[in-house]
Amino acid sequence: SLTGSPVTLKILQNWVPRVSHYFDKEHYTYVGHQIVIQESIEHFGAVVWPGALALSQYLESNQEQFNLKDKKVLEIGAGTGLLSIVACILGAHVTATDLPEVLENLSYNISRNTQNLNMHKPEVRKLVWGESLNEDFPVSTYHYDFILATDVVYHHGALDPLLATMVYFCKPGTVLLWANKFRFSTDYEFLEKVCNIFNTTILAEFPESNVKLLKATVRKN
């Protein structure tokens, strides 16, 4: 079941329009840093979706509530890497993950936007939801303070593996922050499953873009 009354927010226009020879580069400003994101029209994962903007904005504005400094952060379905870059700027040890075909663009964006900053060097890794989790991320070695996920739920057939991945990485003490544009009945069905498994709070809603931002933690037995 859901707890808490969410704040109602608007996604701010944090991108900076530029005259650019590349139609595929977007400029954003978060936490006082200009971030340049190269998008790709070839993959779903290589476009900045509204959930990433919503959660980036929320983390920037709520640094006392969610202090990422020196915390271990895993982003699943990192896409273009915008949110992972923001988490890096906020001082986290970031591991950004996605499907193999997305990693080249993801790595490019993350290295380009973090290379000259005095922060923990981010890591980019392959993660296919529900596959080889224990081999690639053994529980004995990997424990994350925060799991970040944005717009990972849409019309696709991997919702059960996605949920299994969230459950796998969410240990006692881990906070899952999930922002999603809610479009389809399947999105709400997934939300219901999350609420049945975790302690879930809606932190914020962005009505103009149909984005909800949720916090989930493991239930104490």
Side-chain angles (χ1 to χ4, degrees), residues 37-193:
I37 294 294
Q38 176 174 285
E39 297 187 326
S40 160
I41 53 173
E42 291 166 28
H43 301 295
F44 266 151
V47 176
V48 176
W49 296 102
L53 300 176
L55 187 46
S56 295
Q57 178 180 318
Y58 194 84
L59 289 173
E60 178 185 39
S61 307
N62 293 274
Q63 293 177 47
E64 286 184 9
Q65 186 184 0
F66 296 107
N67 178 7
L68 299 190
K69 188 163 172 49
D70 300 328
K71 298 293 195 300
K72 290 198 169 115
V73 172
L74 175 74
E75 184 178 7
I76 56 175
T80 61
L82 174 65
L83 179 58
S84 281
I85 293 161
V86 172
C88 266
I89 293 168
L90 289 168
H93 294 269
V94 175
T95 303
T97 67
D98 212 314
L99 296 169
E101 60 267 26
V102 179
L103 294 186
E104 188 181 350
N105 191 58
L106 173 60
S107 299
Y108 173 79
N109 282 330
I110 287 184
S111 63
R112 171 191 182 148
N113 285 283
T114 61
Q115 61 191 2
N116 296 323
L117 300 176
N118 182 21
M119 58 180 67
H120 304 299
K121 189 170 165 44
E123 190 182 7
V124 175
R125 292 187 59 178
K126 177 189 87 166
L127 173 59
V128 181
W129 297 335
E131 288 184 18
S132 306
L133 297 178
N134 214 15
E135 291 83 19
D136 295 343
F137 296 88
V139 175
S140 55
T141 316
Y142 293 93
H143 183 280
Y144 295 97
D145 300 298
F146 291 92
I147 310 297
L148 307 181
T150 62
D151 286 315
V152 287
V153 177
Y154 48 93
H155 261 332
H156 61 71
L159 291 177
D160 287 341
L162 170 61
L163 188 60
T165 302
M166 289 176 165
V167 169
Y168 178 81
F169 284 113
C170 257
K171 303 286 184 261
T174 302
V175 174
L176 167 66
L177 295 175
W178 167 42
N180 218 91
K181 184 177 174 106
F182 281 77
R183 312 165 177 84
F184 312 113
S185 60
T186 45
D187 302 347
Y188 288 97
E189 287 162 19
F190 187 89
L191 172 59
E192 199 172 322
K193 287 180 180 175

Side-chain angles (χ1 to χ4, degrees), residues 15-23 25 27:
W15 56 273
V16 187
R18 290 289 162 108
V19 177
S20 173
H21 298 294
Y22 301 95
F23 72 93
K25 283 193 170 58
H27 297 247

